Amino acid sequence: MLRIHFTGDDLAAVRTAARPDALWETILSFHRLRDRRGAPVYGAWRSESRARLNGETRLLGALVPTRGYFPDFLTPAQGLDGLDAGLEAVRATPAARIHAELSLLAASRPGGVPLPGWARDLAEGREEPFGRLVGALRGYHRAAIEPYWTHIEARVEADRAVRGRALLDGGADELLASLPPVLRWRSPVLEADYPVDRELHLEGRGLLLQPSYFCRGTPVVLRDPALPPVLVYPVAHTDAPAPGVCEPGSSPLGRLVGHTRCAVLRAIGHGGTTSELARRAGVSLASASQHAGVLRDAGLVVTLRQGSSVLHTLTPLGAALLHGGGAQPGRQPQRRRYTRNGPVTS
Protein backbone atom coordinates (compact mmCIF):
# COMPACT_ATOMS: atom_id res chain seq x y z
CA MET A 1 0.00 0.00 0.00
CA LEU A 2 1.16 3.52 -0.84
CA ARG A 3 -0.10 6.20 1.55
CA ILE A 4 0.62 9.89 0.86
CA HIS A 5 -0.07 12.12 3.88
CA PHE A 6 -1.23 15.71 3.32
CA THR A 7 -1.31 18.74 5.57
CA GLY A 8 -3.32 21.89 4.87
CA ASP A 9 -0.21 23.47 3.35
CA ASP A 10 0.23 20.44 1.06
CA LEU A 11 -3.33 20.76 -0.22
CA ALA A 12 -2.63 24.39 -1.09
CA ALA A 13 0.51 23.35 -2.98
CA VAL A 14 -0.92 20.49 -5.08
CA ARG A 15 -0.37 21.10 -8.80
CA THR A 16 -0.66 19.21 -12.07
CA ALA A 17 2.32 19.04 -14.41
CA ALA A 18 1.98 21.29 -17.43
CA ARG A 19 3.09 18.65 -19.93
CA PRO A 20 4.40 15.08 -20.20
CA ASP A 21 7.80 14.44 -18.62
CA ALA A 22 10.27 13.24 -21.28
CA LEU A 23 12.26 10.98 -18.94
CA TRP A 24 9.33 9.53 -17.01
CA GLU A 25 7.72 8.59 -20.35
CA THR A 26 11.04 7.13 -21.54
CA ILE A 27 11.63 4.97 -18.47
CA LEU A 28 8.01 3.83 -18.02
CA SER A 29 7.69 3.01 -21.72
CA PHE A 30 10.69 0.71 -21.31
CA HIS A 31 8.56 -1.27 -18.84
CA ARG A 32 5.72 -1.42 -21.36
CA LEU A 33 8.10 -2.57 -24.11
CA ARG A 34 8.88 -5.76 -22.16
CA ASP A 35 5.31 -6.28 -20.92
CA ARG A 36 2.76 -8.19 -23.01
CA ARG A 37 -0.22 -6.61 -21.26
CA GLY A 38 -2.21 -3.69 -22.62
CA ALA A 39 -2.01 -4.83 -26.25
CA PRO A 40 -4.95 -2.67 -27.47
CA VAL A 41 -3.09 0.46 -26.36
CA TYR A 42 0.57 -0.53 -26.65
CA GLY A 43 0.65 -3.46 -29.10
CA ALA A 44 1.31 -1.55 -32.33
CA TRP A 45 3.68 0.82 -30.51
CA ARG A 46 5.75 -2.13 -29.27
CA SER A 47 6.13 -3.59 -32.74
CA GLU A 48 7.04 -0.28 -34.35
CA SER A 49 9.47 0.75 -31.62
CA ARG A 50 11.30 -2.58 -31.48
CA ALA A 51 11.95 -2.33 -35.20
CA ARG A 52 13.74 1.01 -34.68
CA LEU A 53 15.81 0.10 -31.61
CA ASN A 54 19.47 -0.78 -31.92
CA GLY A 55 20.88 -2.29 -28.73
CA GLU A 56 19.59 0.36 -26.30
CA THR A 57 17.39 -2.14 -24.45
CA ARG A 58 20.32 -4.31 -23.36
CA LEU A 59 22.10 -1.41 -21.70
CA LEU A 60 19.01 0.18 -20.15
CA GLY A 61 17.82 -3.20 -18.88
CA ALA A 62 20.70 -3.26 -16.42
CA LEU A 63 19.34 -0.17 -14.63
CA VAL A 64 15.60 -0.59 -15.24
CA PRO A 65 14.46 -4.10 -14.29
CA THR A 66 11.12 -5.43 -15.48
CA ARG A 67 9.69 -4.79 -12.02
CA GLY A 68 10.74 -3.23 -8.77
CA TYR A 69 13.16 -0.45 -7.98
CA PHE A 70 14.98 1.66 -10.56
CA PRO A 71 17.23 4.61 -9.63
CA ASP A 72 15.58 7.95 -8.99
CA PHE A 73 18.35 9.83 -10.79
CA LEU A 74 16.98 8.53 -14.12
CA THR A 75 13.86 10.71 -13.74
CA PRO A 76 14.98 14.18 -12.55
CA ALA A 77 12.47 17.01 -12.29
CA GLN A 78 14.08 18.69 -15.31
CA GLY A 79 12.54 16.04 -17.58
CA LEU A 80 9.46 18.27 -17.63
CA ASP A 81 11.51 20.78 -19.64
CA GLY A 82 12.32 18.25 -22.36
CA LEU A 83 14.80 15.49 -23.09
CA ASP A 84 17.91 17.66 -23.36
CA ALA A 85 17.28 19.37 -20.02
CA GLY A 86 16.54 16.03 -18.40
CA LEU A 87 19.71 14.39 -19.71
CA GLU A 88 21.79 17.34 -18.55
CA ALA A 89 20.34 16.82 -15.07
CA VAL A 90 21.15 13.11 -15.22
CA ARG A 91 24.77 13.95 -16.09
CA ALA A 92 24.92 16.46 -13.22
CA THR A 93 23.81 13.94 -10.58
CA PRO A 94 26.30 13.97 -7.66
CA ALA A 95 28.57 10.93 -7.60
CA ALA A 96 27.59 10.08 -4.02
CA ARG A 97 23.92 9.88 -4.97
CA ILE A 98 24.62 7.68 -8.00
CA HIS A 99 26.71 5.35 -5.85
CA ALA A 100 23.97 5.12 -3.21
CA GLU A 101 21.16 4.47 -5.69
CA LEU A 102 23.09 1.90 -7.73
CA SER A 103 24.04 0.13 -4.50
CA LEU A 104 20.34 -0.06 -3.65
CA LEU A 105 19.63 -1.38 -7.15
CA ALA A 106 22.36 -4.03 -6.85
CA ALA A 107 20.99 -5.17 -3.50
CA SER A 108 17.51 -5.63 -5.02
CA ARG A 109 18.63 -7.81 -7.94
CA PRO A 110 17.29 -11.39 -7.73
CA GLY A 111 19.82 -13.94 -6.59
CA GLY A 112 22.41 -11.30 -5.83
CA VAL A 113 23.43 -11.07 -9.50
CA PRO A 114 25.92 -8.17 -9.70
CA LEU A 115 25.49 -5.17 -11.95
CA PRO A 116 27.43 -5.28 -15.23
CA GLY A 117 30.90 -3.78 -15.23
CA TRP A 118 29.92 -0.53 -16.94
CA ALA A 119 27.23 0.11 -14.29
CA ARG A 120 29.76 -0.52 -11.50
CA ASP A 121 32.07 1.98 -13.20
CA LEU A 122 29.15 4.43 -13.32
CA ALA A 123 28.70 3.97 -9.57
CA GLU A 124 32.34 4.91 -9.14
CA GLY A 125 31.78 8.20 -10.96
CA ARG A 126 33.66 7.44 -14.17
CA GLU A 127 32.80 9.54 -17.22
CA GLU A 128 32.79 6.94 -20.02
CA PRO A 129 29.80 4.92 -18.71
CA PHE A 130 27.88 8.20 -18.26
CA GLY A 131 28.28 8.85 -21.98
CA ARG A 132 27.01 5.35 -22.75
CA LEU A 133 23.98 5.78 -20.50
CA VAL A 134 23.02 9.19 -21.89
CA GLY A 135 23.49 7.89 -25.45
CA ALA A 136 21.25 4.90 -24.76
CA LEU A 137 18.53 7.08 -23.22
CA ARG A 138 18.67 9.47 -26.15
CA GLY A 139 18.60 6.66 -28.73
CA TYR A 140 15.73 4.90 -27.01
CA HIS A 141 13.73 8.13 -26.71
CA ARG A 142 14.27 8.86 -30.40
CA ALA A 143 12.99 5.40 -31.38
CA ALA A 144 10.17 4.82 -28.90
CA ILE A 145 8.93 8.22 -27.70
CA GLU A 146 9.69 10.98 -30.18
CA PRO A 147 7.49 9.64 -33.06
CA TYR A 148 4.50 9.52 -30.71
CA TRP A 149 5.07 12.70 -28.74
CA THR A 150 2.11 14.64 -30.17
CA HIS A 151 -0.24 11.80 -29.25
CA ILE A 152 1.29 11.55 -25.75
CA GLU A 153 0.85 15.31 -25.28
CA ALA A 154 -2.81 15.11 -26.35
CA ARG A 155 -3.61 12.35 -23.84
CA VAL A 156 -1.87 14.19 -21.02
CA GLU A 157 -3.61 17.46 -21.92
CA ALA A 158 -6.99 15.68 -21.90
CA ASP A 159 -6.26 14.41 -18.40
CA ARG A 160 -5.23 17.91 -17.31
CA ALA A 161 -8.55 19.23 -18.55
CA VAL A 162 -10.44 16.80 -16.30
CA ARG A 163 -8.27 17.68 -13.30
CA GLY A 164 -8.63 21.39 -14.00
CA ARG A 165 -12.41 21.20 -14.02
CA ALA A 166 -12.36 19.33 -10.72
CA LEU A 167 -10.05 21.93 -9.17
CA LEU A 168 -12.26 24.80 -10.31
CA ASP A 169 -15.41 23.13 -9.02
CA GLY A 170 -14.17 21.91 -5.64
CA GLY A 171 -10.58 22.91 -4.98
CA ALA A 172 -7.72 20.57 -4.13
CA ASP A 173 -10.00 18.12 -2.32
CA GLU A 174 -12.10 17.61 -5.46
CA LEU A 175 -8.96 17.43 -7.59
CA LEU A 176 -7.55 14.55 -5.55
CA ALA A 177 -10.93 12.81 -5.54
CA SER A 178 -11.01 13.04 -9.35
CA LEU A 179 -7.83 10.99 -9.85
CA PRO A 180 -8.14 7.58 -11.58
CA PRO A 181 -9.66 4.70 -9.57
CA VAL A 182 -6.20 3.24 -8.82
CA LEU A 183 -5.89 6.18 -6.39
CA ARG A 184 -8.26 6.66 -3.44
CA TRP A 185 -8.59 10.01 -1.66
CA ARG A 186 -9.47 9.55 2.00
CA SER A 187 -8.67 12.95 3.41
CA PRO A 188 -6.00 13.66 4.50
CA VAL A 189 -4.40 10.55 2.91
CA LEU A 190 -4.15 9.53 -0.75
CA GLU A 191 -3.90 5.74 -1.07
CA ALA A 192 -3.06 3.26 -3.81
CA ASP A 193 -2.24 -0.42 -4.04
CA TYR A 194 1.55 -0.68 -4.34
CA PRO A 195 4.17 -3.44 -4.62
CA VAL A 196 5.62 -2.47 -1.21
CA ASP A 197 4.40 -0.53 1.81
CA ARG A 198 5.30 3.16 1.53
CA GLU A 199 4.37 6.07 3.78
CA LEU A 200 5.14 9.42 2.12
CA HIS A 201 4.75 12.47 4.37
CA LEU A 202 4.68 15.63 2.26
CA GLU A 203 5.34 17.93 5.24
CA GLY A 204 4.32 21.14 3.50
CA ARG A 205 6.18 20.49 0.24
CA GLY A 206 3.03 19.89 -1.79
CA LEU A 207 2.73 17.29 -4.54
CA LEU A 208 3.26 17.39 -8.29
CA LEU A 209 0.67 15.27 -10.11
CA GLN A 210 2.27 13.89 -13.29
CA PRO A 211 -0.15 12.21 -15.72
CA SER A 212 1.68 9.67 -17.88
CA TYR A 213 0.84 7.88 -21.11
CA PHE A 214 3.08 4.89 -20.35
CA CYS A 215 2.27 4.49 -16.67
CA ARG A 216 -0.01 1.47 -16.40
CA GLY A 217 -2.06 0.25 -13.46
CA THR A 218 0.06 1.23 -10.47
CA PRO A 219 1.10 4.84 -9.85
CA VAL A 220 4.77 5.57 -9.19
CA VAL A 221 6.59 7.74 -6.66
CA LEU A 222 10.29 8.38 -6.15
CA ARG A 223 12.05 6.02 -3.76
CA ASP A 224 13.91 8.77 -1.91
CA PRO A 225 11.39 10.63 0.33
CA ALA A 226 13.77 13.62 0.55
CA LEU A 227 13.37 14.42 -3.16
CA PRO A 228 10.62 16.83 -4.33
CA PRO A 229 7.42 14.74 -4.17
CA VAL A 230 5.91 13.64 -7.48
CA LEU A 231 3.10 11.18 -8.15
CA VAL A 232 3.08 9.65 -11.63
CA TYR A 233 -0.28 8.12 -12.54
CA PRO A 234 -1.83 6.60 -15.71
CA VAL A 235 -3.95 8.64 -18.09
CA ALA A 236 -7.11 7.10 -19.46
CA HIS A 237 -6.85 5.34 -22.82
CA THR A 238 -9.92 5.22 -25.04
CA ASP A 239 -9.45 3.82 -28.52
CA ALA A 240 -13.07 3.22 -29.50
CA PRO A 241 -16.52 4.33 -28.35
CA ALA A 242 -18.55 1.87 -26.33
CA PRO A 243 -20.62 -0.36 -28.67
CA GLY A 244 -24.30 0.26 -28.96
CA VAL A 245 -24.37 3.69 -27.29
CA CYS A 246 -25.18 5.55 -30.49
CA GLU A 247 -26.64 2.76 -32.60
CA PRO A 248 -29.72 3.72 -34.64
CA GLY A 249 -32.94 3.01 -32.76
CA SER A 250 -31.21 2.40 -29.39
CA SER A 251 -30.21 5.85 -28.20
CA PRO A 252 -32.37 8.87 -27.34
CA LEU A 253 -29.23 11.00 -27.65
CA GLY A 254 -28.63 9.61 -31.13
CA ARG A 255 -32.17 10.44 -32.14
CA LEU A 256 -31.72 13.95 -30.71
CA VAL A 257 -28.42 15.01 -32.28
CA GLY A 258 -27.98 12.38 -35.00
CA HIS A 259 -26.17 9.08 -34.67
CA THR A 260 -22.92 10.21 -36.29
CA ARG A 261 -22.75 13.32 -34.14
CA CYS A 262 -23.58 11.21 -31.08
CA ALA A 263 -20.68 8.89 -32.00
CA VAL A 264 -18.31 11.86 -32.29
CA LEU A 265 -19.47 13.24 -28.93
CA ARG A 266 -18.96 9.81 -27.38
CA ALA A 267 -15.56 9.49 -29.04
CA ILE A 268 -14.38 12.71 -27.39
CA GLY A 269 -14.76 10.90 -24.04
CA HIS A 270 -11.57 11.71 -22.14
CA GLY A 271 -10.48 14.13 -24.87
CA GLY A 272 -8.68 13.68 -28.14
CA THR A 273 -7.38 15.21 -31.33
CA THR A 274 -9.51 15.40 -34.47
CA SER A 275 -7.64 12.42 -35.92
CA GLU A 276 -8.41 10.37 -32.82
CA LEU A 277 -12.09 11.31 -32.99
CA ALA A 278 -12.26 10.24 -36.62
CA ARG A 279 -10.68 6.87 -35.84
CA ARG A 280 -12.83 6.16 -32.79
CA ALA A 281 -16.09 7.21 -34.44
CA GLY A 282 -15.27 5.53 -37.75
CA VAL A 283 -15.73 8.68 -39.85
CA SER A 284 -13.50 10.74 -42.11
CA LEU A 285 -11.21 13.44 -40.75
CA ALA A 286 -13.30 16.15 -42.42
CA SER A 287 -16.50 14.74 -40.95
CA ALA A 288 -15.02 14.54 -37.45
CA SER A 289 -13.85 18.15 -37.71
CA GLN A 290 -17.25 19.35 -38.93
CA HIS A 291 -19.21 17.55 -36.20
CA ALA A 292 -16.78 18.70 -33.51
CA GLY A 293 -17.35 22.27 -34.70
CA VAL A 294 -21.12 21.93 -34.41
CA LEU A 295 -20.79 20.43 -30.91
CA ARG A 296 -18.45 23.25 -29.93
CA ASP A 297 -20.92 25.89 -31.17
CA ALA A 298 -23.61 24.20 -29.07
CA GLY A 299 -21.45 24.49 -25.93
CA LEU A 300 -20.92 20.72 -25.60
CA VAL A 301 -17.22 20.69 -26.48
CA VAL A 302 -14.25 22.97 -25.90
CA THR A 303 -11.33 22.96 -28.34
CA LEU A 304 -7.79 23.89 -27.37
CA ARG A 305 -4.79 24.18 -29.67
CA GLN A 306 -1.91 21.88 -28.73
CA GLY A 307 1.09 22.49 -30.97
CA SER A 308 0.09 21.64 -34.52
CA SER A 309 -3.00 19.74 -33.33
CA VAL A 310 -6.26 20.70 -31.67
CA LEU A 311 -7.55 18.92 -28.58
CA HIS A 312 -11.28 18.46 -27.99
CA THR A 313 -12.71 17.87 -24.50
CA LEU A 314 -16.24 17.74 -23.14
CA THR A 315 -17.73 20.67 -21.29
CA PRO A 316 -19.78 19.85 -18.17
CA LEU A 317 -22.91 20.30 -20.30
CA GLY A 318 -21.57 17.89 -22.93
CA ALA A 319 -20.69 15.30 -20.30
CA ALA A 320 -24.10 15.64 -18.66
CA LEU A 321 -25.85 15.18 -22.01
CA LEU A 322 -23.69 12.19 -22.90
CA HIS A 323 -24.32 10.49 -19.56
CA GLY A 324 -28.00 11.34 -19.37
CA GLY A 325 -27.45 14.01 -16.71
CA GLY A 326 -29.93 16.46 -15.28
CA ALA A 327 -31.91 16.52 -12.07
CA GLN A 328 -35.07 14.41 -11.98
CA PRO A 329 -38.37 15.83 -10.74
CA GLY A 330 -38.87 15.43 -7.01
CA ARG A 331 -35.18 14.85 -6.27
CA GLN A 332 -32.61 17.10 -4.66
CA PRO A 333 -29.95 18.56 -6.99
CA GLN A 334 -27.11 16.10 -7.37
CA ARG A 335 -23.50 16.91 -6.50
CA ARG A 336 -21.02 16.66 -9.35
CA ARG A 337 -17.91 14.58 -8.82
CA TYR A 338 -15.15 13.67 -11.26
CA THR A 339 -13.79 10.36 -12.42
CA ARG A 340 -11.35 9.50 -15.18
CA ASN A 341 -14.39 9.44 -17.46
CA GLY A 342 -15.08 13.09 -16.79
CA PRO A 343 -17.78 14.67 -14.61
CA VAL A 344 -20.59 12.47 -13.27
CA THR A 345 -23.20 13.01 -10.60
CA SER A 346 -23.78 11.25 -7.33
Side-chain angles (χ1 to χ4, degrees), residues 277-299:
L277 304 191
R279 184 179 70 252
R280 295 174 196 166
V283 298
S284 69
L285 190 63
S287 178
S289 178
Q290 177 188 16
H291 287 298
V294 173
L295 294 170
R296 180 173 61 251
D297 292 341

PDB file of all heavy atoms in Angstrom, residues 277-299:
ATOM      1  N   LEU A 277     -10.624  11.372 -32.914  1.00  0.00           N
ATOM      2  CA  LEU A 277     -12.088  11.314 -32.986  1.00  0.00           C
ATOM      3  C   LEU A 277     -12.537  10.577 -34.236  1.00  0.00           C
ATOM      4  O   LEU A 277     -13.470   9.771 -34.200  1.00  0.00           O
ATOM      5  CB  LEU A 277     -12.689  12.722 -32.978  1.00  0.00           C
ATOM      6  CG  LEU A 277     -12.343  13.662 -31.824  1.00  0.00           C
ATOM      7  CD1 LEU A 277     -13.252  14.885 -31.877  1.00  0.00           C
ATOM      8  CD2 LEU A 277     -12.462  12.963 -30.507  1.00  0.00           C
ATOM      9  N   ALA A 278     -11.892  10.888 -35.364  1.00  0.00           N
ATOM     10  CA  ALA A 278     -12.263  10.243 -36.621  1.00  0.00           C
ATOM     11  C   ALA A 278     -12.068   8.733 -36.528  1.00  0.00           C
ATOM     12  O   ALA A 278     -12.928   7.950 -36.966  1.00  0.00           O
ATOM     13  CB  ALA A 278     -11.416  10.827 -37.759  1.00  0.00           C
ATOM     14  N   ARG A 279     -10.946   8.304 -35.941  1.00  0.00           N
ATOM     15  CA  ARG A 279     -10.679   6.867 -35.837  1.00  0.00           C
ATOM     16  C   ARG A 279     -11.665   6.180 -34.899  1.00  0.00           C
ATOM     17  O   ARG A 279     -12.199   5.109 -35.200  1.00  0.00           O
ATOM     18  CB  ARG A 279      -9.247   6.649 -35.335  1.00  0.00           C
ATOM     19  CG  ARG A 279      -8.848   5.165 -35.303  1.00  0.00           C
ATOM     20  CD  ARG A 279      -7.419   4.971 -34.835  1.00  0.00           C
ATOM     21  NE  ARG A 279      -7.266   5.284 -33.416  1.00  0.00           N
ATOM     22  CZ  ARG A 279      -6.644   6.342 -32.951  1.00  0.00           C
ATOM     23  NH1 ARG A 279      -6.099   7.206 -33.790  1.00  0.00           N
ATOM     24  NH2 ARG A 279      -6.542   6.560 -31.658  1.00  0.00           N
ATOM     25  N   ARG A 280     -11.925   6.796 -33.753  1.00  0.00           N
ATOM     26  CA  ARG A 280     -12.827   6.164 -32.787  1.00  0.00           C
ATOM     27  C   ARG A 280     -14.259   6.089 -33.301  1.00  0.00           C
ATOM     28  O   ARG A 280     -14.967   5.094 -33.081  1.00  0.00           O
ATOM     29  CB  ARG A 280     -12.817   6.953 -31.477  1.00  0.00           C
ATOM     30  CG  ARG A 280     -11.494   6.948 -30.740  1.00  0.00           C
ATOM     31  CD  ARG A 280     -11.577   7.891 -29.545  1.00  0.00           C
ATOM     32  NE  ARG A 280     -10.276   8.232 -29.024  1.00  0.00           N
ATOM     33  CZ  ARG A 280     -10.070   9.233 -28.177  1.00  0.00           C
ATOM     34  NH1 ARG A 280     -11.076   9.990 -27.782  1.00  0.00           N
ATOM     35  NH2 ARG A 280      -8.853   9.488 -27.734  1.00  0.00           N
ATOM     36  N   ALA A 281     -14.705   7.161 -33.979  1.00  0.00           N
ATOM     37  CA  ALA A 281     -16.094   7.212 -34.445  1.00  0.00           C
ATOM     38  C   ALA A 281     -16.279   6.525 -35.793  1.00  0.00           C
ATOM     39  O   ALA A 281     -17.415   6.327 -36.228  1.00  0.00           O
ATOM     40  CB  ALA A 281     -16.558   8.667 -34.539  1.00  0.00           C
ATOM     41  N   GLY A 282     -15.174   6.191 -36.458  1.00  0.00           N
ATOM     42  CA  GLY A 282     -15.266   5.532 -37.753  1.00  0.00           C
ATOM     43  C   GLY A 282     -15.754   6.435 -38.857  1.00  0.00           C
ATOM     44  O   GLY A 282     -16.499   6.004 -39.748  1.00  0.00           O
ATOM     45  N   VAL A 283     -15.323   7.723 -38.815  1.00  0.00           N
ATOM     46  CA  VAL A 283     -15.728   8.681 -39.845  1.00  0.00           C
ATOM     47  C   VAL A 283     -14.467   9.308 -40.436  1.00  0.00           C
ATOM     48  O   VAL A 283     -13.355   9.099 -39.950  1.00  0.00           O
ATOM     49  CB  VAL A 283     -16.645   9.777 -39.260  1.00  0.00           C
ATOM     50  CG1 VAL A 283     -17.928   9.165 -38.709  1.00  0.00           C
ATOM     51  CG2 VAL A 283     -15.933  10.580 -38.172  1.00  0.00           C
ATOM     52  N   SER A 284     -14.648  10.084 -41.498  1.00  0.00           N
ATOM     53  CA  SER A 284     -13.501  10.743 -42.114  1.00  0.00           C
ATOM     54  C   SER A 284     -13.003  11.881 -41.227  1.00  0.00           C
ATOM     55  O   SER A 284     -13.708  12.372 -40.347  1.00  0.00           O
ATOM     56  CB  SER A 284     -13.883  11.296 -43.489  1.00  0.00           C
ATOM     57  OG  SER A 284     -14.788  12.385 -43.351  1.00  0.00           O
ATOM     58  N   LEU A 285     -11.783  12.324 -41.500  1.00  0.00           N
ATOM     59  CA  LEU A 285     -11.206  13.436 -40.752  1.00  0.00           C
ATOM     60  C   LEU A 285     -12.048  14.699 -40.934  1.00  0.00           C
ATOM     61  O   LEU A 285     -12.313  15.431 -39.966  1.00  0.00           O
ATOM     62  CB  LEU A 285      -9.767  13.678 -41.218  1.00  0.00           C
ATOM     63  CG  LEU A 285      -8.925  14.643 -40.396  1.00  0.00           C
ATOM     64  CD1 LEU A 285      -8.725  14.118 -38.977  1.00  0.00           C
ATOM     65  CD2 LEU A 285      -7.566  14.864 -41.062  1.00  0.00           C
ATOM     66  N   ALA A 286     -12.485  14.954 -42.155  1.00  0.00           N
ATOM     67  CA  ALA A 286     -13.296  16.150 -42.421  1.00  0.00           C
ATOM     68  C   ALA A 286     -14.623  16.085 -41.681  1.00  0.00           C
ATOM     69  O   ALA A 286     -15.096  17.087 -41.122  1.00  0.00           O
ATOM     70  CB  ALA A 286     -13.532  16.295 -43.921  1.00  0.00           C
ATOM     71  N   SER A 287     -15.230  14.891 -41.647  1.00  0.00           N
ATOM     72  CA  SER A 287     -16.504  14.738 -40.951  1.00  0.00           C
ATOM     73  C   SER A 287     -16.340  14.938 -39.446  1.00  0.00           C
ATOM     74  O   SER A 287     -17.148  15.616 -38.805  1.00  0.00           O
ATOM     75  CB  SER A 287     -17.091  13.356 -41.230  1.00  0.00           C
ATOM     76  OG  SER A 287     -18.307  13.161 -40.532  1.00  0.00           O
ATOM     77  N   ALA A 288     -15.269  14.380 -38.884  1.00  0.00           N
ATOM     78  CA  ALA A 288     -15.019  14.542 -37.454  1.00  0.00           C
ATOM     79  C   ALA A 288     -14.828  16.011 -37.102  1.00  0.00           C
ATOM     80  O   ALA A 288     -15.347  16.504 -36.100  1.00  0.00           O
ATOM     81  CB  ALA A 288     -13.800  13.731 -37.035  1.00  0.00           C
ATOM     82  N   SER A 289     -14.090  16.730 -37.946  1.00  0.00           N
ATOM     83  CA  SER A 289     -13.845  18.150 -37.707  1.00  0.00           C
ATOM     84  C   SER A 289     -15.145  18.952 -37.771  1.00  0.00           C
ATOM     85  O   SER A 289     -15.402  19.828 -36.935  1.00  0.00           O
ATOM     86  CB  SER A 289     -12.844  18.689 -38.727  1.00  0.00           C
ATOM     87  OG  SER A 289     -12.616  20.062 -38.545  1.00  0.00           O
ATOM     88  N   GLN A 290     -15.980  18.629 -38.774  1.00  0.00           N
ATOM     89  CA  GLN A 290     -17.251  19.349 -38.931  1.00  0.00           C
ATOM     90  C   GLN A 290     -18.170  19.114 -37.729  1.00  0.00           C
ATOM     91  O   GLN A 290     -18.734  20.059 -37.167  1.00  0.00           O
ATOM     92  CB  GLN A 290     -17.947  18.901 -40.211  1.00  0.00           C
ATOM     93  CG  GLN A 290     -19.311  19.562 -40.416  1.00  0.00           C
ATOM     94  CD  GLN A 290     -20.068  18.950 -41.590  1.00  0.00           C
ATOM     95  OE1 GLN A 290     -19.722  17.873 -42.060  1.00  0.00           O
ATOM     96  NE2 GLN A 290     -21.086  19.642 -42.055  1.00  0.00           N
ATOM     97  N   HIS A 291     -18.312  17.854 -37.309  1.00  0.00           N
ATOM     98  CA  HIS A 291     -19.206  17.548 -36.198  1.00  0.00           C
ATOM     99  C   HIS A 291     -18.668  18.133 -34.891  1.00  0.00           C
ATOM    100  O   HIS A 291     -19.450  18.620 -34.064  1.00  0.00           O
ATOM    101  CB  HIS A 291     -19.395  16.037 -36.068  1.00  0.00           C
ATOM    102  CG  HIS A 291     -20.264  15.449 -37.143  1.00  0.00           C
ATOM    103  ND1 HIS A 291     -21.590  15.808 -37.303  1.00  0.00           N
ATOM    104  CD2 HIS A 291     -19.994  14.537 -38.121  1.00  0.00           C
ATOM    105  CE1 HIS A 291     -22.102  15.132 -38.327  1.00  0.00           C
ATOM    106  NE2 HIS A 291     -21.148  14.362 -38.838  1.00  0.00           N
ATOM    107  N   ALA A 292     -17.354  18.097 -34.711  1.00  0.00           N
ATOM    108  CA  ALA A 292     -16.776  18.700 -33.506  1.00  0.00           C
ATOM    109  C   ALA A 292     -17.065  20.203 -33.468  1.00  0.00           C
ATOM    110  O   ALA A 292     -17.324  20.772 -32.398  1.00  0.00           O
ATOM    111  CB  ALA A 292     -15.275  18.440 -33.448  1.00  0.00           C
ATOM    112  N   GLY A 293     -17.046  20.848 -34.634  1.00  0.00           N
ATOM    113  CA  GLY A 293     -17.352  22.271 -34.698  1.00  0.00           C
ATOM    114  C   GLY A 293     -18.784  22.568 -34.306  1.00  0.00           C
ATOM    115  O   GLY A 293     -19.061  23.548 -33.582  1.00  0.00           O
ATOM    116  N   VAL A 294     -19.710  21.736 -34.766  1.00  0.00           N
ATOM    117  CA  VAL A 294     -21.117  21.926 -34.409  1.00  0.00           C
ATOM    118  C   VAL A 294     -21.312  21.728 -32.901  1.00  0.00           C
ATOM    119  O   VAL A 294     -22.017  22.498 -32.236  1.00  0.00           O
ATOM    120  CB  VAL A 294     -22.005  20.951 -35.205  1.00  0.00           C
ATOM    121  CG1 VAL A 294     -23.451  21.014 -34.711  1.00  0.00           C
ATOM    122  CG2 VAL A 294     -21.936  21.267 -36.700  1.00  0.00           C
ATOM    123  N   LEU A 295     -20.673  20.689 -32.350  1.00  0.00           N
ATOM    124  CA  LEU A 295     -20.786  20.428 -30.913  1.00  0.00           C
ATOM    125  C   LEU A 295     -20.162  21.560 -30.095  1.00  0.00           C
ATOM    126  O   LEU A 295     -20.673  21.924 -29.032  1.00  0.00           O
ATOM    127  CB  LEU A 295     -20.101  19.091 -30.584  1.00  0.00           C
ATOM    128  CG  LEU A 295     -20.760  17.849 -31.190  1.00  0.00           C
ATOM    129  CD1 LEU A 295     -19.856  16.628 -31.012  1.00  0.00           C
ATOM    130  CD2 LEU A 295     -22.124  17.589 -30.546  1.00  0.00           C
ATOM    131  N   ARG A 296     -19.088  22.126 -30.623  1.00  0.00           N
ATOM    132  CA  ARG A 296     -18.452  23.250 -29.934  1.00  0.00           C
ATOM    133  C   ARG A 296     -19.373  24.467 -29.940  1.00  0.00           C
ATOM    134  O   ARG A 296     -19.533  25.144 -28.924  1.00  0.00           O
ATOM    135  CB  ARG A 296     -17.120  23.574 -30.602  1.00  0.00           C
ATOM    136  CG  ARG A 296     -16.363  24.743 -29.953  1.00  0.00           C
ATOM    137  CD  ARG A 296     -14.986  24.915 -30.548  1.00  0.00           C
ATOM    138  NE  ARG A 296     -15.032  25.197 -31.983  1.00  0.00           N
ATOM    139  CZ  ARG A 296     -14.659  24.338 -32.931  1.00  0.00           C
ATOM    140  NH1 ARG A 296     -14.213  23.130 -32.612  1.00  0.00           N
ATOM    141  NH2 ARG A 296     -14.732  24.675 -34.202  1.00  0.00           N
ATOM    142  N   ASP A 297     -20.006  24.750 -31.074  1.00  0.00           N
ATOM    143  CA  ASP A 297     -20.917  25.891 -31.168  1.00  0.00           C
ATOM    144  C   ASP A 297     -22.113  25.726 -30.237  1.00  0.00           C
ATOM    145  O   ASP A 297     -22.690  26.718 -29.773  1.00  0.00           O
ATOM    146  CB  ASP A 297     -21.401  26.067 -32.612  1.00  0.00           C
ATOM    147  CG  ASP A 297     -20.277  26.504 -33.553  1.00  0.00           C
ATOM    148  OD1 ASP A 297     -19.249  27.001 -33.041  1.00  0.00           O
ATOM    149  OD2 ASP A 297     -20.427  26.347 -34.775  1.00  0.00           O
ATOM    150  N   ALA A 298     -22.478  24.467 -29.956  1.00  0.00           N
ATOM    151  CA  ALA A 298     -23.607  24.201 -29.069  1.00  0.00           C
ATOM    152  C   ALA A 298     -23.203  24.207 -27.597  1.00  0.00           C
ATOM    153  O   ALA A 298     -24.046  23.991 -26.722  1.00  0.00           O
ATOM    154  CB  ALA A 298     -24.238  22.852 -29.419  1.00  0.00           C
ATOM    155  N   GLY A 299     -21.906  24.437 -27.305  1.00  0.00           N
ATOM    156  CA  GLY A 299     -21.448  24.488 -25.926  1.00  0.00           C
ATOM    157  C   GLY A 299     -21.206  23.136 -25.298  1.00  0.00           C
ATOM    158  O   GLY A 299     -21.086  23.028 -24.072  1.00  0.00           O
TER     159      GLY A 299
END
